[in-house]
Amino acid sequence: MKQVVIKYSKIYLIFFKNSVAELGSHRFNLLMSAVGNIVWTFSQVVTLQFLFQRINSFDGWSINDMILLLAFGQIFAYTMFIFYFDNHVELQTKTVLGELDMYLTKPLNLKFFLSFASVSVAQFIPFFVAVLPLLIIGVRDLRAVGLLDIIFCITVFMIGVIAMFFLSLSIAGLNFFTDDASSVRDIVMNSMDLNRIPISILPSPAQFVFIFAIPIAFVTYYPVLILKSSQNMFLIILAGLIVLISFYLLSKIIWNQGLKRYSGAG
Amino acid sequence: MLVQLNAFPNRGLNLNALLNFSFLSRSIGIIFTMKKYLYLIKINFSQIGAYRSDMLFGWFARLFQLFIVFALWSITQKTDQEMQKLFIYFFLFYLIFDIFCTGRISRQISKDIRRGELNSYLLKPFNYIFSVWVKIGITTIARIIVPIILFIVLAFIRPDFAAPASLVHLILFFISSIFCIILWNLFVTIIGSLSFWVNEISQLQKVISLMLSVMIGKYIPLYLFPKQLQDIISLTPVNYLGNFQILIYQGGISSQDISKGMFILITWTIIFFFIAKFTYNKGLNIYEASGN
Amino acid sequence: MKPIIKVENLTRTFKQYKKEPGFKGTIKSMFNRQFFEIKAVSDVNFEIEEGEFVGFIGPNGAGKTTTLKMLSGILHPTSGEIRVDGFVPSERESNFLKNISLVMGQKSQLWWELPAMEGFILNKEIYEIDDKFFKERVNELAKLLEVGDILKVPVRKLSLGQRMKCELIAALIHNPKVLFLDEPTIGLDVVVQKKIREFFKQYNQESKTTILLTSHYMEDVAELCKRVIIINHGQKIYDGSLIELTKNYANDKYLKLVFNSKVAKSDLSKYGEVIDFEKNGLKGTISVSREDHTKVAAAILQNLPVDDLDISEVDLEDIVAKIFQQELK
């Protein structure tokens, strides 16, 4: 076990180092993607300010609460962009073109290899420039939060991040069965817009979707809710774990079946 | 590879030039040229089946955005009428205009330039830009079918708020929408042509389309902006990338403003057409000279 | 000796759908796709012993690559059984994967923007190789392939031949027991091809690695493999030594002639089938039966102004072409 952890850490370090080394060849793109993400975050804050000129509270949430919600959504988005998003998108084309062959002959966990082989190091720039300030503004209206609340909040957020990872992995695996599963990923990506509103204002079937089908609520809504007011920890964590395990199993099934069907390009 | 060809993108018309000696032969020439483009359309159309899941689910993703943005703004609206107006505004934006107005043309052009696939087009008597428009256009048709059916059904079920203000408004909406789509796609054609100078533009394009999304009113309805700001915006092209059309559809604009708007829209379209043509030709000169 | 690769009744089918041309076909294929099965590999059996160098020959789409992919665990067989070094490849056990390697001439495992060395280091960690062995191994392979000085240059700046050599190092770094080569010399120029062939030959002899090679270039196979397996339409049609193959299928030998003065084609065709004849009448090749090629050669020497005479075996390429033609009939 210890050896496996050491092996995978070493390999991840190499992935990271190689990704840093590759940065130089995409300088323009790098700058633009940083600018773009900052612009987007800024535009969302402006939208909120515009909105709050007409209302005082959004279903009980102040503008700073809403900014905190945005911050959590963005932290999740960057976790995803930095660590695995591009790899999963690329994986979809690789599967369709039959380019997994080389990866399949390596004595390394395939899903690990394909999910983490390249790290979008560039995304660290907008993360620090645009998202952290949001977090600082966002916490201003909060009650006095205890250490336990913070731990609880981070736990739920992490559960959500991992669940969303397995969801993304499952979607990437759909390409073993169909040539075109990109619209499924679009659905998940577009639902990320949800990081701008508390899901409590949505009708209950929609809430159900964002808790169990696309568990975005665990990375945005619940963590902020926990910081806003005390919540039933047990219930939220239980729901989170159920979602996490379901998506883990789903990805396992899709990949096992998919690899059997994988036919390569030969 | 050094490709020695003249820089005009309208290579398809060279055939006409050859047959230029009489009106009759010229018409034959045009028909001949048209024929190959018709074939291009046909061949692209026959591949529409490859976008099955796009056709069935692509719009579904936009439905999410629609609901979220609507949920966000609906809180600010007081009356049912205002809510309905807002809903139609976002529906048309997210499920109709957003499908026509994407960055796919610019991505395609950029990809063809970077991977040198443009070469194979340049060797044929063929208008490259036109072929990209056709290719993307056909897949757009695949994506738009379901949302349009949805909207028509909605207009019949709830004509009180989903139906157009009048038949004239509907026709004007159509015409202005066509110009909107052309204007937008001319714009992304220009962005795509920048690939002749800058190797990698995918992120630049993302930045620009993000900024545009804010300015054209995708996140904040333009009619909620302060009046002075609205007046300034009405002179820029961004006003005509959705907002203007929706105003016509809902009848929220005087006929004087419509004709003024139409004039501005068409003027911008013509200006952008020439900018696009100029950018592409300039870029092509560089491309052929460096022989990528 | 016990076989390291054992293949029994191996079959693999692929599903495909067809689309009729035209608009009607488009609509039809959207709602009701007609699938049909293609047998890429059908009921193939063979065994390969440790240290053997076997060539896999067949036209495009014969099932060579599919077989290789099944042997290396990439594809699951539809039916039949495979054992490689005692493992079932499709289970992709770590110990199995550490013992094999696959080189595909058209696919790269190196990082495009980075020097090849970075790719080797990644493989070092993946295959859990210790530092000392790794260093020795890279040096040794780089020396053999004469690429020591380019390992620190970004891969995208290398020529195709240099890149292929680096691919080979990356594939051999963990000293695999079994090596699968799928068109390793494709697209390379003749000089590099030759260099790489020499490398394989030496490598096979020194390390006793079992190697399975598919190639379009018959020269690769003729020079490297003692044994060949020929497949066509997914079925094995020949399995045996290269010498036997030449004997069985090539009843003829080639007489390659150079003349002092001009000779008419009709003069030459008296002695056998003219394979090749230069217009100036100074060079020609004829095919004569194996038994009396010496007699014919003597007769030609007597009757024609021969400057040089060379008796050679029929090209492997021609033999294989002949086999496939016979198959067609």
Side-chain angles (χ1 to χ4, degrees):
Chain A
M1 183 63 198
K2 196 181 151 199
Q3 259 186 335
V4 174
V5 173
I6 292 174
K7 175 179 169 179
Y8 280 84
S9 316
K10 269 187 178 171
I11 291 174
Y12 195 78
L13 202 67
I14 293 177
F15 288 160
F16 198 88
K17 261 167 48 189
N18 286 355
S19 304
V20 174
E22 277 183 327
L23 276 181
S25 37
H26 311 285
R27 264 169 305 184
F28 181 71
N29 235 358
L30 198 84
L31 186 73
M32 278 301 138
S33 103
V35 171
N37 288 313
I38 293 166
V39 167
W40 193 85
T41 311
F42 185 70
S43 77
Q44 295 313 310
V45 175
V46 170
T47 307
L48 283 177
Q49 269 173 349
F50 214 85
L51 191 76
F52 274 84
Q53 279 174 3
R54 313 179 129 246
I55 51 172
N56 294 324
S57 118
F58 192 94
D59 202 32
W61 292 53
S62 73
I63 183 163
N64 288 337
D65 292 343
M66 296 281 277
I67 287 176
L68 189 62
L69 189 69
L70 185 64
F72 268 92
Q74 290 296 84
I75 293 172
F76 164 67
Y78 283 104
T79 315
M80 187 173 83
F81 289 142
I82 291 170
F83 295 103
Y84 67 85
F85 185 76
D86 286 350
N87 294 320
H88 280 178
V89 172
E90 220 176 284
L91 176 55
Q92 286 178 277
T93 31
K94 273 185 189 148
T95 316
V96 175
L97 295 175
E99 282 175 2
L100 299 187
D101 297 359
M102 272 306 165
Y103 299 91
L104 278 160
T105 58
K106 300 279 179 214
L108 190 70
N109 184 304
L110 186 69
K111 284 170 261 179
F112 171 83
F113 203 167
L114 291 167
S115 296
F116 301 118
S118 121
V119 186
S120 298
V121 193
Q123 301 289 358
F124 277 111
I125 305 170
F127 177 79
F128 285 114
V129 176
V131 180
L132 288 186
L134 284 188
L135 205 57
I136 294 163
I137 301 168
V139 294
R140 283 194 304 197
D141 284 358
L142 288 182
R143 66 195 167 108
V145 186
L147 182 67
L148 202 66
D149 288 317
I150 293 175
I151 294 172
F152 179 31
C153 163
I154 293 174
T155 311
V156 170
F157 180 74
M158 288 312 293
I159 289 175
V161 167
I162 300 169
M164 289 296 283
F165 168 77
F166 284 120
L167 173 62
S168 171
L169 189 63
S170 307
I171 294 171
L174 287 181
N175 277 81
F176 288 116
F177 305 91
T178 160
D179 280 0
D180 179 19
S182 57
S183 39
V184 182
R185 183 171 296 283
D186 289 348
I187 293 175
V188 175
M189 284 308 292
N190 286 3
S191 74
M192 299 254 305
D193 277 7
L194 205 71
N195 63 27
R196 290 181 286 154
I197 54 166
I199 62 164
S200 55
I201 68 155
L202 296 175
S204 43
Q207 288 188 27
F208 184 85
V209 166
F210 294 120
I211 295 171
F212 293 104
I214 306 170
I216 190 95
F218 292 98
V219 286
T220 54
Y221 179 66
Y222 284 130
V224 179
L225 202 63
I226 290 162
L227 296 180
K228 259 173 72 72
S229 60
S230 61
Q231 301 291 323
N232 185 340
M233 292 195 195
F234 177 72
L235 218 60
I236 296 178
I237 290 190
L238 182 73
L241 286 176
I242 291 173
V243 170
L244 170 62
I245 292 166
S246 319
F247 279 114
Y248 169 72
L249 293 175
L250 179 71
S251 72
K252 214 173 159 69
I253 294 168
I254 289 181
W255 275 77
N256 283 347
Q257 293 303 314
L259 280 174
K260 270 185 204 154
R261 286 178 57 124
Y262 176 70
S263 47
Chain B
M1 188 171 72
L2 196 84
V3 188
Q4 270 300 340
L5 283 169
N6 67 19
F8 291 104
N10 279 336
R11 298 234 156 73
L13 295 174
N14 287 353
L15 208 76
N16 288 346
L18 288 174
L19 297 165
N20 207 354
F21 48 86
S22 78
F23 175 73
L24 183 69
S25 56
R26 207 156 101 184
S27 335
I28 295 172
I30 290 168
I31 292 167
F32 206 71
T33 315
M34 287 297 289
K35 214 177 145 189
K36 74 185 170 199
Y37 290 120
L38 278 179
Y39 185 69
L40 178 78
I41 292 170
K42 214 176 125 191
I43 229 173
N44 270 294
F45 203 72
S46 74
Q47 288 172 349
I48 212 168
Y51 309 104
R52 280 202 301 184
S53 77
D54 245 14
M55 234 164 147
L56 298 173
F57 302 113
W59 58 275
F60 197 72
R62 288 161 200 280
L63 208 60
F64 269 68
Q65 284 183 309
L66 169 67
F67 274 119
I68 291 159
V69 80
F70 178 66
L72 190 66
W73 285 100
S74 60
I75 296 227
T76 67
Q77 306 298 306
K78 288 176 189 77
T79 65
D80 271 3
Q81 218 183 354
E82 278 178 347
M83 289 274 271
Q84 288 161 357
K85 186 181 169 194
L86 188 75
F87 182 75
I88 297 303
Y89 179 90
F90 283 127
F91 192 106
L92 288 171
F93 242 118
Y94 282 83
L95 283 174
I96 310 287
F97 288 110
D98 207 32
I99 294 180
F100 281 114
C101 304
T102 64
R104 288 193 298 149
I105 286 180
S106 104
R107 280 199 292 276
Q108 181 76 43
I109 295 173
S110 156
K111 199 178 94 191
D112 287 343
I113 293 172
R114 274 185 299 123
R115 299 198 181 159
E117 278 161 27
L118 186 59
N119 290 341
S120 65
Y121 287 95
L122 294 181
L123 292 170
K124 289 173 199 152
F126 218 73
N127 187 329
Y128 164 71
I129 295 291
F130 185 78
S131 74
V132 173
W133 278 51
V134 167
K135 186 177 172 188
I136 303 295
I138 301 281
T139 60
T140 305
I141 289 173
R143 290 168 179 209
I144 201 77
I145 292 171
V146 178
I148 284 188
I149 294 171
L150 272 182
F151 192 76
I152 292 172
V153 169
L154 186 67
F156 272 102
I157 298 174
R158 296 293 306 270
D160 51 324
F161 71 95
S166 73
L167 189 63
V168 179
H169 282 98
L170 182 67
I171 293 167
L172 286 171
F173 168 76
F174 263 123
I175 298 170
S176 61
S177 296
I178 287 167
F179 277 101
C180 158
I181 293 163
I182 295 174
L183 180 59
W184 175 279
N185 287 299
L186 283 171
F187 180 69
V188 289
T189 303
I190 297 168
I191 308 270
S193 305
L194 294 182
S195 288
F196 284 118
W197 290 273
V198 187
N199 204 7
E200 183 49 76
I201 56 139
S202 63
Q203 294 298 335
L204 172 73
Q205 185 228 308
K206 255 186 214 162
V207 176
I208 292 174
S209 68
L210 270 176
M211 292 204 241
L212 270 181
S213 301
V214 181
M215 290 195 285
I216 64 176
K218 236 178 96 181
Y219 297 135
I220 310 167
L222 282 189
Y223 66 82
L224 296 181
F225 274 49
K227 189 82 182 81
Q228 294 98 322
L229 200 59
Q230 279 190 48
D231 286 343
I232 297 168
I233 288 175
S234 75
L235 294 174
T236 66
V238 293
N239 183 45
Y240 303 94
L241 296 170
N243 183 54
F244 176 65
Q245 285 76 7
I246 296 169
L247 278 180
I248 295 179
Y249 189 86
Q250 296 185 326
I253 180 169
S254 69
S255 47
Q256 203 195 344
D257 283 345
I258 292 180
S259 34
K260 187 180 136 202
M262 279 293 208
F263 175 75
I264 299 176
L265 170 60
I266 293 169
T267 312
W268 276 119
T269 310
I270 294 169
I271 293 172
F272 269 78
F273 173 77
F274 283 106
I275 298 176
K277 204 175 155 86
F278 176 79
T279 320
Y280 178 73
N281 286 349
K282 264 274 179 276
L284 208 56
N285 278 332
I286 291 181
Y287 180 77
E288 285 169 353
S290 70
N292 276 358
Chain C
M1 236 199 299
K2 79 175 206 303
I4 192 163
I5 298 176
K6 204 172 170 188
V7 173
E8 270 174 20
N9 308 324
L10 185 63
T11 301
R12 168 78 202 205
T13 52
F14 289 110
K15 235 182 179 180
Q16 288 194 326
Y17 69 88
K18 47 186 166 187
K19 178 187 136 356
E20 285 156 36
F23 181 65
K24 225 173 132 188
T26 306
I27 298 296
K28 224 170 139 187
S29 81
M30 231 179 322
F31 298 104
N32 179 22
R33 281 192 176 164
Q34 283 189 319
F35 287 96
F36 62 100
E37 283 192 342
I38 295 176
K39 266 196 176 165
V41 176
S42 162
D43 207 20
V44 168
N45 294 284
F46 61 83
E47 284 181 3
I48 291 172
E49 275 167 21
E50 216 168 331
E52 263 193 291
F53 202 139
V54 179
F56 236 56
I57 310 176
N60 283 336
K64 295 172 304 208
T65 305
T66 307
T67 310
L68 227 53
K69 282 184 180 175
M70 284 194 280
L71 289 173
S72 51
I74 293 172
L75 293 183
H76 287 240
T78 310
S79 66
E81 222 179 285
I82 311 175
R83 291 282 162 146
V84 176
D85 197 22
F87 295 96
V88 177
S90 58
E91 286 171 5
R92 299 187 52 248
E93 277 179 62
S94 190
N95 285 334
F96 163 72
L97 295 172
K98 280 181 189 169
N99 280 338
I100 65 152
S101 199
L102 171 69
V103 177
M104 289 194 270
Q106 283 156 319
K107 281 178 190 163
S108 171
Q109 62 166 312
L110 296 170
W111 295 49
W112 192 243
E113 306 284 353
L114 299 176
M117 196 63 190
E118 303 290 339
F120 303 161
I121 293 172
L122 178 62
N123 272 4
K124 165 185 174 279
E125 297 301 339
I126 290 177
Y127 289 101
E128 298 166 66
I129 305 164
D130 68 61
D131 288 342
K132 191 166 165 265
F133 181 82
F134 172 75
K135 268 181 202 151
E136 283 172 11
R137 187 85 182 147
V138 172
N139 286 340
E140 181 193 330
L141 290 168
K143 208 170 147 194
L144 266 173
L145 285 161
E146 298 166 8
V147 286
D149 45 343
I150 56 159
L151 297 183
K152 296 199 169 138
V153 180
V155 173
R156 72 188 150 84
K157 293 202 170 152
L158 302 179
S159 72
L160 197 61
Q162 289 171 325
R163 213 183 301 155
M164 195 61 223
K165 286 174 179 175
C166 291
E167 291 284 343
L168 285 177
I169 299 179
L172 294 172
I173 236 162
H174 58 289
N175 197 9
K177 267 188 183 169
V178 183
L179 177 60
F180 300 106
L181 301 171
D182 189 21
E183 306 279 356
T185 54
I186 200 155
L188 302 178
D189 66 49
V190 188
V191 183
V192 181
Q193 270 186 33
K194 201 163 173 246
K195 178 77 214 156
I196 286 181
R197 267 204 295 276
E198 275 164 16
F199 168 77
F200 283 139
K201 203 169 190 174
Q202 199 183 346
Y203 186 79
N204 172 249
Q205 280 164 3
E206 283 172 9
S207 67
K208 298 283 172 252
T209 306
T210 313
I211 304 181
L212 226 78
L213 163 83
T214 77
S215 182
H216 266 92
Y217 301 109
M218 287 305 159
E219 261 177 79
D220 283 355
V221 180
E223 205 174 300
L224 293 169
C225 309
K226 290 202 181 81
R227 175 179 161 197
V228 289
I229 296 173
I230 302 179
I231 59 171
N232 197 12
H233 304 299
Q235 280 170 324
K236 188 174 88 173
I237 53 175
Y238 178 84
D239 181 358
S241 79
L242 200 60
I243 300 167
E244 284 293 315
L245 180 75
T246 327
K247 260 191 202 158
N248 290 347
Y249 284 87
N251 305 323
D252 300 342
K253 280 200 169 196
Y254 284 169
L255 299 186
K256 290 180 183 166
L257 299 151
V258 180
F259 306 108
N260 293 325
S261 55
K262 201 176 168 184
V263 169
K265 198 177 175 182
S266 55
D267 290 335
L268 211 54
S269 60
K270 283 183 220 157
Y271 299 96
E273 191 195 343
V274 180
I275 302 293
D276 190 26
F277 188 75
E278 272 184 26
K279 269 186 191 156
N280 59 16
L282 292 175
K283 254 184 186 176
T285 304
I286 57 168
S287 164
V288 293
S289 74
R290 194 170 276 275
E291 295 102 66
D292 35 58
H293 72 273
T294 42
K295 276 184 224 161
V296 176
I300 292 175
L301 281 171
Q302 216 162 43
N303 301 330
L304 295 173
V306 176
D307 183 32
D308 191 18
L309 169 71
D310 181 23
I311 302 172
S312 68
E313 290 287 351
V314 177
D315 284 346
L316 183 59
E317 208 151 327
D318 295 335
I319 299 174
V320 172
K322 204 167 149 190
I323 296 173
F324 294 143
Q325 265 168 9
Q326 280 178 358
E327 265 247 310
L328 275 180
K329 282 169 200 162

